[in-house]
Amino acid sequence: MTEAMILVVDDDEATRLTLRRWLTHLQVRGQVLEAADGQAALALVDAHCHGTTPPVPLLVLLDLQMPVMDGLEFLEHQRQLPPAHQQAMTVIVLSGAHETPARKRAQALAVEVKTKPLDITELAALLHHYLPAALPA
C-alpha cells in the first residue's frame, strides 16, 4: 500500500517537471501524480484515492490559474468529496498573482496559499509539515 500521494496540478509543464525533480531530490516516498488542469486532477483523485480504505494521505500542489478547470473550481469540487477523503487531502494553492479576488477565495478554501515560484526549501517545509510520511526517516 502507498504511504502517501502527491498530486502536482499545473498547466505549465516546466513547473510540473521542476516540482517532480525536487520531489525526487527530496527522496519522497509514495506516488507522485501530475495533471495539467483541475478536471484531470479530479479524475486522478477519483481513480487513485477512492479505491483505498482508509484513504491514502494526499498532498495536492494546485496552480490557481489553468485552462479547462482552474484551481478554484477544483477546490469547489474537492469540497463535495466524502468527508474521509476531504480529511485525507491537503491542498496547497500555488499562485503567481498577489492579492487578487481569486487568491483571497483560494485562501478560504485551501489549507495554504503560496506565491509562485516555490523553491525546494519551501517544498521540503510543506512536506515536513503536511505529509511527513512521504519523507525519508
Side-chain angles (χ1 to χ4, degrees), residues 14-27:
T15 298
R16 292 194 316 269
L17 175 64
T18 298
L19 289 171
R20 188 173 57 239
R21 283 183 179 159
W22 288 348
L23 291 167
T24 299
H25 178 77
L26 294 169
Q27 301 175 339

Side-chain angles (χ1 to χ4, degrees), residues 77-96:
H77 282 83
Q78 182 257 342
R79 293 175 75 88
Q80 297 179 25
L81 294 172
H85 288 88
Q86 288 183 45
Q87 290 171 356
M89 187 183 310
T90 302
V91 180
I92 307 296
V93 171
L94 305 176
S95 174

Side-chain angles (χ1 to χ4, degrees), residues 7-120:
L7 175 56
V8 177
V9 187
D10 199 307
D11 59 317
D12 181 57
E13 189 174 343
T15 298
R16 292 194 316 269
L17 175 64
T18 298
L19 289 171
R20 188 173 57 239
R21 283 183 179 159
W22 288 348
L23 291 167
T24 299
H25 178 77
L26 294 169
Q27 301 175 339
V28 295
R29 295 187 311 247
Q31 190 172 9
V32 177
L33 305 171
E34 293 180 37
D37 60 67
Q39 188 174 45
L42 282 176
L44 287 171
V45 167
D46 189 48
H48 293 279
C49 298
H50 286 189
T52 60
T53 306
V56 171
L58 173 64
L59 177 66
V60 180
L61 301 173
L62 179 69
D63 185 25
L64 197 54
Q65 297 179 334
M66 297 177 288
V68 183
M69 178 187 285
D70 66 22
L72 287 177
E73 291 172 292
F74 174 90
L75 288 166
E76 292 291 345
H77 282 83
Q78 182 257 342
R79 293 175 75 88
Q80 297 179 25
L81 294 172
H85 288 88
Q86 288 183 45
Q87 290 171 356
M89 187 183 310
T90 302
V91 180
I92 307 296
V93 171
L94 305 176
S95 174
H98 297 278
E99 300 310 315
T100 63
R103 186 179 173 114
K104 287 182 195 251
R105 178 77 179 126
Q107 287 171 326
L109 296 171
V111 169
E112 205 169 323
V113 178
K114 292 292 208 178
T115 301
K116 285 171 110 178
L118 198 63
D119 66 33
I120 193 168

